[in-house]
């Protein structure tokens, strides 16, 4: 039996970075080089990541949130503009829309894949709609073909928030390479962990150049202290990049483990009516950052009761995201599908170190607390 995880105190935390000797070697190399702000690992991580997801350009930055900000600034989104944002998802995208002075316009999500609902988008387009942000929630890819058909017709730019979807694929393309700009996060819980950190990817030379400029104070490359635009400091350190690069070298292993975990949870629970999973579309190969289950509305125990029982059994879980219609900064209209997901979603432990016997134990406990006897379909 495993001891409790040192950091979380739980036997099974909900997420955990996978750090091994190769990560330590790379970070020490960066330290020993003396290049602890910019440095060679920054370049290596950018080139390696671009290659891994077949992007033309990749640029590291300080966080997934900074990546979203860079994307919006490069697309010249600002005051007076509206940006479509999914009604369910992490709030970083909506926050950055507000931070650039634009208005987030929330559109509800689909009840099956939990991502932006393409059938509702057109209702919310106005002459002020400048961009649309899709959030590939938990690693599942939104209906990008239907979304792009609309955004192309209305000349609206598309930002993919791929913080939870590194290496997920859709119709032969990697997440991040489907819209105009893709934004990634390397915060500790993510598929690749660099402590903190982010990446923007694009196939557009022009957008890349703009983001390069904005990332470094707007200072023109090759001209010290000449600021072509008023930019930010969104640079990633060489220390983070060393960790990110080392993680990238074991991407096959990290993705394989996440696929195994997803298969295990889905195989174990598919026959119980109390729990269901996010739809995986036929054209999609997701790498799930989190394996979230949706508790049936008629389940015996509420999601919060199940979380409490699991915590007492040493298993940490996370609830669904709170929807924008329930939080003060967003002034969102009611989002009924998102709200139902928000109240009934439970994210199960998902990290590369989990073995099959761990998953078996977690599943047994989830079944004990969330499933009635004889609840087979
Ligand atoms: C979908 C999504 N977008 C953006 C972010 C923000 O990334 P970061 O924490 O690296 O700023 C996160 C999570 O952290 C996320 O899950």
């Amino acid at each position: 039996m495993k001891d409790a995880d040192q950091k979380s105190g739980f036997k099974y935390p909900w997420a955990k970075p996978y750090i091994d000797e190769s990560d330590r070697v790379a970070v020490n190399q960066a330290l020993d080089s003396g290049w602890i702000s910019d440095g060679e690992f920054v370049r290596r991580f950018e080139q390696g990541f671009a290659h891994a997801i077949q992007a033309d350009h990749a640029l590291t930055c300080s966080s997934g949130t900074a990546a979203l900000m860079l994307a919006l600034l490069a697309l010249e989104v600002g005051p007076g503009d509206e940006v479509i944002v999914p009604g369910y998802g992490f709030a970083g995208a909506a926050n950055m829309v507000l931070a650039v002075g634009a208005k987030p316009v929330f559109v509800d999500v689909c009840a099956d894949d939990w991502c932006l609902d393409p059938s509702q988008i057109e209702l919310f387009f106005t002459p002020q709609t400048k961009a649309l942000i899709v959030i590939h929630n938990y690693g599942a890819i939104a209906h990008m073909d239907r979304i792009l058909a609309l955004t192309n017709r209305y000349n609206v730019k598309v930002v993919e928030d791929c913080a939870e979807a590194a290496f997920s694929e859709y119709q032969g393309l990697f997440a991040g390479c489907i819209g105009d700009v893709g934004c990634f996060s390397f915060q500790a819980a993510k598929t690749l962990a660099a402590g903190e950190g982010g990446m923007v990817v694009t196939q557009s030379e022009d957008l890349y150049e703009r983001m390069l400029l904005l990332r470094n104070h707007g200072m023109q490359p090759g001209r010290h202290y000449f600021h072509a635009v008023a930019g930010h400091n969104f640079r990633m350190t060489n220390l983070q990049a060393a960790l990110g690069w080392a993680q990238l070298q074991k991407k096959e292993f990290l993705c394989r483990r996440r696929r195994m975990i997803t298969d295990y949870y889905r195989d174990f629970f598919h026959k119980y009516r109390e729990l269901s999973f996010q739809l995986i579309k036929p054209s999609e190969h997701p790498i799930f950052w989190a394996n979230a289950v949706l508790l049936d509305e008629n389940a015996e125990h509420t999601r919060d009761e199940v979380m409490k029982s699991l915590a007492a059994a040493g298993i940490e879980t996370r609830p669904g995201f709170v929807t924008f219609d329930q939080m003060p900064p967003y002034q969102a209209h009611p989002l009924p599908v998102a709200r139902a997901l928000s109240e009934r979603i439970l994210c199960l432990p998902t990290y590369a170190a989990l073995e099959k016997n761990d998953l078996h134990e977690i599943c047994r406990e989830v079944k004990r607390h969330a499933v009635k006897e004889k609840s087979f379909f």
Side-chain angles (χ1 to χ4, degrees):
M1 189 150 151
K2 279 192 183 160
D3 295 332
D5 173 64
Q6 268 184 8
K7 182 164 159 276
S8 69
F10 286 94
K11 182 175 175 191
Y12 296 116
W14 75 283
K16 188 175 168 172
Y18 187 91
I19 304 294
D20 66 16
E21 193 50 28
S22 66
D23 299 298
R24 290 186 195 94
V25 169
V27 174
N28 279 330
Q29 232 176 301
L31 273 173
D32 292 344
S33 74
W35 291 87
I36 57 171
S37 290
D38 193 19
E40 188 50 35
F41 278 111
V42 174
R43 238 74 57 209
R44 282 204 221 168
F45 189 26
E46 289 170 346
Q47 283 165 9
F49 195 76
H51 180 73
I53 66 162
Q54 294 161 21
D56 286 353
H57 306 281
L59 197 64
T60 50
C61 53
S62 48
S63 67
T65 308
L68 288 160
M69 178 70 132
L70 278 177
L72 292 172
L73 291 173
L75 293 169
E76 297 179 280
V77 176
D81 294 329
E82 294 179 1
V83 180
I84 303 281
V85 177
Y88 184 77
F90 184 75
N95 289 344
M96 290 307 97
V97 172
L98 289 171
V100 299
K103 180 181 169 201
V105 175
F106 297 96
V107 175
D108 214 341
V109 293
C110 300
D112 54 6
D113 71 0
W114 312 350
C115 292
L116 190 61
D117 182 349
S119 71
Q120 295 198 40
I121 294 172
E122 213 169 354
L123 298 172
F124 293 90
F125 277 158
T126 72
Q128 284 71 47
T129 309
K130 181 89 174 255
L132 173 151
I133 304 180
V134 279
I135 306 178
H136 299 315
N137 281 319
Y138 301 122
I141 306 285
H143 282 280
M144 292 306 289
D145 48 355
R146 292 173 61 193
I147 293 170
L148 290 181
L150 288 168
T151 52
N152 287 339
R153 190 167 348 130
Y154 287 87
N155 195 24
V156 166
K157 298 294 180 192
V158 175
V159 176
E160 295 179 71
D161 183 345
C162 309
E164 300 169 8
F167 311 118
S168 288
E169 286 175 71
Y170 174 88
Q171 297 185 352
L173 293 174
F174 283 97
C177 297
I178 311 169
D180 293 283
V181 183
C183 302
F184 293 83
S185 164
F186 307 115
Q187 179 268 342
K190 297 299 189 298
T191 300
L192 297 189
E196 297 285 353
M199 189 88 76
V200 279
V201 303
T202 181
Q203 319 298 10
S204 155
E205 175 93 37
D206 180 48
L207 288 175
Y208 169 73
E209 293 293 341
R210 271 193 254 175
M211 293 191 284
L212 187 66
L213 198 62
L214 287 160
R215 181 184 68 167
N216 187 25
H217 303 286
M219 222 173 344
Q220 202 160 301
R223 280 183 85 178
H224 284 304
Y225 306 124
F226 181 84
H227 299 262
V229 294
H232 296 261
N233 175 359
F234 286 156
R235 298 182 307 247
M236 177 185 273
T237 69
N238 203 36
L239 301 176
Q240 293 164 294
L243 186 49
W245 175 83
Q247 295 262 300
L248 184 61
Q249 306 316 298
K250 43 181 174 273
K251 133 186 183 293
E252 297 305 328
F253 165 77
L254 295 173
C255 291
R256 197 164 58 243
R257 294 307 289 244
R258 281 180 182 269
R259 272 190 225 106
M260 183 276 285
I261 294 166
T262 298
D263 290 348
Y264 199 99
Y265 282 138
R266 285 179 180 241
D267 284 353
F268 192 99
F269 290 118
H270 79 271
K271 56 183 181 287
Y272 300 111
R273 70 167 67 92
E274 275 88 352
L275 302 171
S276 57
F277 288 89
Q278 216 172 348
L279 175 79
I280 299 178
K281 295 182 264 299
S283 53
E284 189 184 357
H285 296 284
I287 300 295
F288 281 103
W289 159 70
N291 285 278
V293 287
L294 181 68
L295 294 188
D296 188 77
E297 55 192 338
N298 300 316
E300 195 171 5
H301 300 289
T302 65
R303 188 267 318 277
D304 292 350
E305 285 167 352
V306 174
M307 285 184 71
K308 222 166 147 186
S309 306
L310 289 173
I315 299 167
E316 187 184 26
T317 54
R318 279 280 165 108
F321 298 110
V322 177
T323 54
F324 297 102
D325 55 353
Q326 302 178 78
M327 298 188 283
Y330 307 104
Q331 297 176 4
H333 59 90
L335 298 157
V337 178
R339 181 74 81 100
L341 297 175
S342 166
E343 287 163 4
R344 290 169 22 218
I345 277 178
L346 179 72
C347 295
L348 302 177
T350 303
Y351 50 92
L354 284 172
E355 302 285 352
K356 284 192 174 158
N357 58 327
D358 300 321
L359 293 165
H360 185 70
E361 192 178 333
I362 294 167
C363 287
R364 252 192 12 228
E365 287 298 325
V366 173
K367 181 176 161 225
R368 193 153 79 88
H369 297 291
V371 173
K372 281 187 217 159
E373 285 302 313
K374 301 203 185 76
S375 81
F376 296 98
F377 279 116

